Amino acid sequence: MRVEIWSDIACPWCYVGKARFEKALDAFPHRDAIEVVHRSFELDPGRGKTDIQPVIRMLTKKYGMSEAQAQAGEENLGTQAAAEGLEYRTQGRDHGNTFDMHRLLHLAKERGRQDELIQIFYKANFAEERSVFGDDERLVELAVSAGLDAGEAREVLADPAAYADEVRADEREAAELGANGVPFFVLDRKYGVSGAQPAEVFARALEQAWGSHSPLKVIQQDDAEACGPDGCAVPQN
């Protein structure tokens, strides 16, 4: 059975949601029969490659909140990430365009290293001090750490058309499926799970998708935090 996950590296709920899904997947009796494929979804596709800004500034501009409110939201996200065993820097992160990372993830898919690379990208963006935005050599280093060839990664980054069609196709398909926010999980094209749901919801969806052949059903679409075209929901204390 195939599970497709639409997500963006800039989405904190995608980072948390992946961990929650994997907790359910690890306990699933048919784990070895599950293929996981990561699909592209850009939260900020119109942002230029060199348009990089601090996360707090981005949040205050997008939501009209104060810096204190934005920082409180980051602290809350850090707490939720920690509950899933994830590192999360609540200060000093930045925000930028993720198109090149999605293109590299398509290369990684062809090389059988996609899950490794997306986890490395998530950790680099949310837990490490050095930025993942606007620095091709940084992305090459991360690709190499996931088992990709440095030369191949550089070739992809140097050619704006490389895997661009694949990224856009993923994004069109997300729209066709009704996914207007991420993370969005599609299980064997039978069930959809929207948002960073608890592991129990993912476990139930895996069981239902494994044992049935019904059309796509969205489970608790509006009940969990997600990132959409207007940005990421920011938890408040």
Side-chain angles (χ1 to χ4, degrees):
M1 186 172 80
R2 171 179 287 190
V3 176
E4 297 161 278
I5 307 173
W6 272 265
S7 59
D8 192 9
I9 301 304
C11 165
W13 295 117
C14 296
Y15 182 45
V16 172
K18 181 175 185 290
R20 291 174 178 172
F21 169 75
E22 288 176 346
K23 186 180 295 183
L25 185 61
D26 286 344
F28 188 56
H30 308 287
R31 170 67 184 89
D32 292 343
I34 304 299
E35 176 193 12
V36 177
V37 178
H38 297 280
R39 301 293 192 190
S40 301
F41 190 109
E42 294 172 274
L43 290 170
D44 207 351
R47 182 178 290 271
K49 183 171 180 176
T50 60
D51 184 5
I52 304 164
Q53 63 182 155
V55 166
I56 297 299
R57 185 184 303 165
M58 180 272 293
L59 291 172
T60 58
K61 183 177 179 180
K62 179 163 286 189
Y63 295 104
M65 60 177 62
S66 68
E67 288 192 7
Q69 289 173 318
Q71 186 58 53
E74 283 294 285
E75 297 291 342
N76 195 316
L77 274 165
T79 298
Q80 296 200 42
E84 306 302 330
L86 301 172
E87 299 176 71
Y88 190 98
R89 293 179 67 235
T90 59
Q91 297 185 23
R93 291 195 307 106
D94 57 10
H95 177 79
N97 180 283
T98 57
F99 187 61
D100 284 346
M101 283 182 272
H102 285 296
R103 295 195 299 120
L104 285 174
L105 284 166
H106 277 279
L107 169 66
K109 180 177 181 292
E110 290 187 354
R111 302 294 179 264
R113 308 299 296 176
Q114 192 186 44
D115 194 69
E116 290 83 357
L117 183 58
I118 197 169
Q119 191 61 35
I120 286 169
F121 278 162
Y122 277 140
K123 184 178 179 182
N125 183 42
F126 291 110
E128 297 178 5
E129 185 172 352
R130 186 177 170 189
S131 176
V132 297
F133 300 107
D135 183 352
D136 284 357
E137 280 305 303
R138 169 66 163 154
L139 297 185
V140 170
E141 290 175 14
L142 295 172
V144 169
S145 67
L148 297 181
D149 177 76
E152 264 196 318
R154 288 193 183 96
E155 287 179 7
V156 168
L157 293 171
D159 178 6
Y163 298 102
D165 288 345
E166 287 83 349
V167 174
R168 298 307 182 211
D170 277 357
E171 293 172 338
R172 285 194 301 272
E173 192 166 13
E176 291 167 1
L177 289 170
N180 55 14
V182 286
F184 190 75
F185 302 75
V186 175
L187 292 80
D188 208 31
R189 295 299 170 112
K190 299 184 179 82
Y191 289 88
V193 179
S194 180
Q197 300 283 353
E200 294 79 10
V201 173
F202 289 121
R204 188 163 63 249
L206 285 165
E207 292 168 1
Q208 290 174 329
W210 185 264
S212 67
H213 298 277
S214 61
L216 180 69
K217 297 178 181 178
V218 177
I219 299 173
Q220 297 188 16
Q221 182 174 2
D222 301 320
D223 293 347
E225 300 89 347
C227 297
D230 295 328
C232 297
V234 180
Q236 302 294 318
N237 292 329

